[in-house]
């Protein structure tokens, strides 16, 4: 069976990715499962640039592996990567591409989320608009990289709510559903989310390659 290596170390993303890609006739492995521990320098200025950097770094790492090494089993694999984040309009689209690094990579999301809510203190509903953005890059084994983008529009809530999802989900309120993305059942989030949309579009491209 053809393989996909997903170039992410984020467990929350990986959980969603597995569900969304479950109907592809391909084996989906995380970097860790493929035995890779590569430090990726995300120095792009856009989601597209960073998604490409992650996917291409891992593809090139596999290509560089010696004949007969464990990694050479993945030479024909498609390497996917996800670069995503939260854009808050009132904060000039912060934290944006710095979403994971906002207030420090090791700071808990309880603290990050409470801080963002405080920064919007006194801001009325209609100005609390925000979106999640996700760009999926696919670095193909024969060379070349494709990207697909997905977004979901919402507003920053007044207090965190919900236990599902990860990261900024508890403060991302979607008026259409009357709840945060952390309050949606995981299958529902995957149908409507930035990641769900970007990966559906990428799945179509991958199917056409099979
Ligand atoms: P990898 O680079 O290893 O994939 P990362 O967490 O560093 O993991 P990003 O640089 O793409 O990934 O940062 C994405 C951040 O955006 C993520 O850590 C969350 O803080 C936030 N984010 C993205 N998608 C989200 C979602 O569906 N729900 C909540 N927060 C999300």
């Amino acid at each position: 069976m053809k393989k996909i290596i997903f170039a992410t170390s984020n467990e929350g993303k990986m959980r969603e990715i597995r569900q969304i890609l479950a109907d592809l006739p391909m084996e989906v492995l995380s970097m860790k499962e493929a035995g890779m521990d590569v430090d990726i320098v995300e120095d792009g200025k856009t989601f597209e640039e960073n998604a490409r950097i992650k996917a291409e770094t891992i593809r090139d790492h596999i290509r560089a592996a010696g004949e007969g090494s464990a990694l050479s089993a993945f030479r024909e694999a498609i390497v996917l990567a996800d670069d995503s984040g939260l854009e808050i309009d009132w904060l000039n689209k912060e934290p944006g591409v710095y979403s994971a690094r906002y207030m420090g990579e090791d700071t808990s999301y309880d603290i990050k989320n409470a801080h963002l809510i405080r920064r919007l203190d006194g801001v009325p509903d209609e100005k609390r608009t925000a979106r999640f953005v996700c760009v999926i890059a696919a670095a193909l084994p024969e060379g070349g990289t494709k990207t697909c983008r997905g977004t979901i529009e919402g507003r920053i809530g007044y207090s965190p709510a919900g236990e599902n999802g990860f990261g900024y989900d508890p403060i991302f309120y979607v008026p259409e559903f009357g709840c945060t993305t952390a309050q949606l059942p995981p299958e529902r989030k995957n149908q409507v989310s930035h990641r769900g949309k970007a990966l559906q579009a990428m799945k179509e491209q991958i199917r056409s390659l099979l």
Side-chain angles (χ1 to χ4, degrees), residues 98-194:
Y98 299 105
S99 292
R101 290 163 274 178
Y102 180 66
M103 298 179 77
E105 196 109 30
D106 296 329
T107 304
S108 78
Y109 278 88
D110 287 348
I111 294 175
K112 295 190 196 202
N113 285 336
H115 185 73
L116 285 173
I117 287 174
R118 269 201 306 280
R119 288 183 70 191
L120 266 66
D121 199 20
V123 177
D125 271 3
E126 68 277 11
K127 292 193 170 139
R128 301 176 78 89
T129 52
R131 71 202 54 75
F132 275 129
V133 180
C134 175
V135 173
I136 301 292
L140 306 177
E142 62 276 18
T145 303
K146 296 173 182 293
T147 60
C148 294
R149 173 183 268 248
T151 59
I152 177 173
E153 299 288 330
R155 291 180 180 182
I156 300 305
Y158 294 88
S159 57
E163 304 291 331
N164 297 332
F166 65 99
Y168 300 105
D169 279 323
I171 62 167
F172 190 79
Y173 179 82
V174 186
E176 209 182 323
F177 301 127
C179 67
T180 68
T181 42
Q183 291 173 304
L184 287 177
E187 318 75 64
R188 187 74 187 123
K189 180 186 169 193
N190 290 338
Q191 284 165 353
V192 298
S193 76
H194 51 316

Side-chain angles (χ1 to χ4, degrees), residues 7-10 13 16 42 54 82-86 97 99-101 105 109 132-133 166-169 181 189 194-195:
T8 182
S9 314
N10 181 318
K13 278 186 189 177
E16 296 185 358
E42 287 177 48
K54 294 185 220 185
D82 164 313
D83 199 65
S84 47
L86 176 65
V97 292
S99 292
R101 290 163 274 178
E105 196 109 30
Y109 278 88
F132 275 129
V133 180
F166 65 99
Y168 300 105
D169 279 323
T181 42
K189 180 186 169 193
H194 51 316
R195 181 163 299 104

Side-chain angles (χ1 to χ4, degrees), residues 20-137:
I20 300 165
L21 296 183
D23 61 346
L24 262 187
M26 297 177 80
E27 188 182 357
V28 181
L29 299 152
S30 67
M31 271 194 311
K32 196 167 149 195
E33 287 166 333
M36 276 180 272
D37 183 17
V38 183
D39 199 21
I40 303 174
V41 184
E42 287 177 48
D43 54 3
K45 296 213 162 24
T46 63
F47 294 110
E48 275 78 9
E49 280 173 17
N50 280 332
R52 273 174 186 275
I53 289 170
K54 294 185 220 185
E56 290 174 359
T57 303
I58 296 304
R59 179 190 54 201
D60 295 347
H61 184 76
I62 294 171
R63 273 185 177 167
E67 204 60 52
S69 72
L71 281 188
S72 63
F74 303 121
R75 288 232 169 108
E76 297 302 313
I78 295 178
V79 180
L80 296 187
D82 164 313
D83 199 65
S84 47
L86 176 65
E87 293 183 345
I88 302 177
D89 292 323
W90 182 260
L91 304 178
N92 297 315
K93 302 203 174 168
E94 267 187 62
V97 292
Y98 299 105
S99 292
R101 290 163 274 178
Y102 180 66
M103 298 179 77
E105 196 109 30
D106 296 329
T107 304
S108 78
Y109 278 88
D110 287 348
I111 294 175
K112 295 190 196 202
N113 285 336
H115 185 73
L116 285 173
I117 287 174
R118 269 201 306 280
R119 288 183 70 191
L120 266 66
D121 199 20
V123 177
D125 271 3
E126 68 277 11
K127 292 193 170 139
R128 301 176 78 89
T129 52
R131 71 202 54 75
F132 275 129
V133 180
C134 175
V135 173
I136 301 292

